[in-house]
Amino acid sequence: MEQAYGEVNQLGGVFVNGRPLPNAIRLRIVELAQLGIRPCDISRQLRVSHGCVSKILARYNETGSILPGAIGGSKPRVTTPNVVKHIREYKQGDPGIFAWEIRDRLLADNVCDKYNVPSVSSISRILRNKIGNLSQPSHYESTKQPTSQPTLPYNHIYQYPYPNPISPGSTKVGSHHPGVHMAPGHVSIARSWPSAHSVNNILGIRTFMEQTGAIAGADGTVYSPKMEEWASVNRTGFPATQNINGIEKSAVDPDIKYPQAASSLSTVGGFVQACAYPSANQYGVYGGPGAGYVTPGHHWQAQGSSLAHHGPGVTVHGGDISAPMTFKHPVREVMHRKPSSPIIKHQDALSSVHGISIPASST
DNA sequence: TACGTCACGGTTGAA
DNA sequence: ACTTCAACCGTGACG
């Protein structure tokens, strides 16, 4: 497993196929763009394909969130709480009712329409799994809730509930930092991003990586430095950032797969916290900051818990970009990098701004 | 050269 | 416990 994760792209960057880039990198992309760095330069600098940079920036502009979308899962097609509730009522009213009769009633009562009415088999499953034995209602009531259904209804997700419980503090993004001129302040997001915390907030929070440097050594072990650490780092790094709430937490979970990321990113940490996803869905996927790839498990379950480790000042050092290179493929990057690309200049700017040190291109 | 777009192969997670 | 399948991912290539 270990080194199983990760591949190296044409730019020499490490990525995990099928998985989102670490939040740290995502954030960095947005930050750099806000500093006026061109997408193509960001792509080269962070070693992320330009298609990805383009996508992330476009999404950010549109939604105000740098977070990836919800991965996995499926829409609550039929088993919405309301439907379940009605089914339960029908069943309670007539324990001998057939599933098809329930279906008809759902339509008749306008609980569902023909497009979303559950199939008979779905109703049967609902009766079996969610409603269980009605004969003992009381019991049911007490136990059921939790039953297999995570309380986090997807509704959440799909309905754009807003805000995560989480970010109280994070308040929407509105507050743009003076320094950074943020463009869109979108707070309100169009999609299902619950509260897309914009980078602004994030930016406000300065982060861990700076100190941590996190990154993997160049030793052969690719991902060895488990991201977990990053995560923790972050968190600790930003105590300020309020939360870590359920969502958050999940958001923070470390994901192991991306060692490299950190290399150049600096800010991110905070951000992550800021951006929570809808707790409902993505739980961990978008892991923490640097942590990016965490495979957290179910966040909701874990809420709040695990984050804590590491004490406050974790200081790791170092990271330079070389890290990625240690991946599977040796460096491909050799490519032609422009020796002196504008980026570099910007870097300085950034550095000064955030104290970030971006690895300048090397070679 | 820069960048928007999309096929592709991949992962995830609710049902 | 296992399978489905629709959602998303980033890369890489095309234009």
Side-chain angles (χ1 to χ4, degrees):
Chain A
M1 301 200 33
E2 352 205 301
Q3 65 163 18
Y5 0 97
E7 293 172 56
V8 177
N9 62 26
Q10 296 178 329
L11 299 173
V14 176
F15 70 98
V16 176
N17 195 7
R19 306 295 301 136
L21 284 173
N23 286 329
I25 293 179
R26 309 176 78 89
L27 174 60
R28 195 85 183 111
I29 289 169
V30 174
E31 285 184 322
L32 294 176
Q34 291 181 335
L35 288 173
I37 295 174
R38 295 179 308 173
C40 59
D41 291 329
I42 293 170
S43 171
R44 286 189 282 261
Q45 191 171 325
L46 299 181
R47 297 179 185 179
V48 170
S49 67
H50 92 266
C52 183
V53 169
S54 176
K55 183 178 176 180
I56 289 171
L57 291 175
R59 175 173 291 171
Y60 174 71
N61 288 331
E62 186 180 327
T63 68
S65 173
I66 65 166
L67 295 173
I71 297 174
S74 51
K75 296 180 183 177
R77 289 178 283 244
V78 301
T79 56
T80 59
N82 185 48
V83 170
V84 172
K85 177 182 132 206
H86 279 82
I87 292 173
R88 181 163 60 235
E89 288 171 356
Y90 299 150
K91 187 69 176 175
Q92 288 175 327
D94 178 4
I97 192 170
F98 290 115
W100 62 267
E101 292 177 302
I102 289 174
R103 188 171 190 274
D104 288 346
R105 287 196 60 183
L106 288 169
L107 289 169
D109 294 347
N110 287 312
V111 174
C112 301
D113 58 34
K114 64 182 178 180
Y115 299 106
N116 66 7
V117 65
S119 63
V120 171
S121 59
S122 292
I123 291 169
S124 294
R125 187 170 53 240
I126 290 167
L127 290 170
R128 182 175 63 247
N129 300 336
K130 299 180 185 297
I131 296 183
N133 196 343
L134 289 178
S135 32
Q136 299 157 49
S138 56
H139 169 278
Y140 166 60
E141 285 295 311
S142 53
T143 30
K144 143 188 125 200
Q145 297 271 56
T147 350
S148 51
Q149 270 229 325
T151 1
L152 316 174
Y154 344 58
N155 313 338
H156 218 60
I157 308 173
Y158 299 103
Q159 299 185 93
Y160 317 177
Y162 228 88
N164 322 327
I166 283 197
S167 23
S170 59
T171 43
K172 328 199 144 214
V173 180
S175 51
H176 300 299
H177 287 229
V180 184
H181 54 309
M182 304 260 209
H186 305 137
V187 175
S188 40
I189 313 187
R191 274 167 117 205
S192 54
W193 312 89
S195 63
H197 304 276
S198 68
V199 175
N200 299 329
N201 292 326
I202 302 169
L203 293 180
I205 311 166
R206 247 30 291 215
T207 339
F208 74 118
M209 292 271 200
E210 307 184 8
Q211 332 175 337
T212 59
I215 281 280
D219 48 299
T221 32
V222 186
Y223 290 154
S224 44
K226 308 263 182 174
M227 302 292 182
E228 298 147 340
E229 319 215 311
W230 293 29
S232 45
V233 175
N234 299 331
R235 312 171 155 270
T236 52
F238 306 93
T241 350
Q242 57 288 44
N243 45 328
I244 293 196
N245 343 351
I247 302 180
E248 215 0 38
K249 149 196 196 347
S250 48
V252 186
D253 285 341
D255 191 305
I256 325 182
K257 319 180 177 179
Y258 275 85
Q260 113 186 48
S263 44
S264 42
L265 317 178
S266 40
T267 13
V268 187
F271 144 85
V272 175
Q273 321 210 344
C275 5
Y277 229 58
S279 51
N281 51 278
Q282 305 272 76
Y283 325 137
V285 179
Y286 305 108
Y293 290 78
V294 175
T295 319
H298 302 260
H299 337 327
W300 62 84
Q301 303 178 325
Q303 306 195 345
S305 35
S306 56
L307 303 180
H309 4 304
H310 296 307
V314 180
T315 352
V316 180
H317 237 325
D320 260 69
I321 284 223
S322 44
M325 310 282 120
T326 58
F327 237 49
K328 290 178 178 175
H329 309 302
V331 185
R332 212 167 167 167
E333 69 152 6
V334 185
M335 322 209 124
H336 11 309
R337 277 181 179 252
K338 306 180 174 182
S340 52
S341 88
I343 302 176
I344 299 188
K345 300 174 184 176
H346 293 289
Q347 290 185 346
D348 293 340
L350 284 178
S351 315
S352 54
V353 176
H354 302 302
I356 305 167
S357 61
I358 299 178
S361 52
S362 43
T363 63

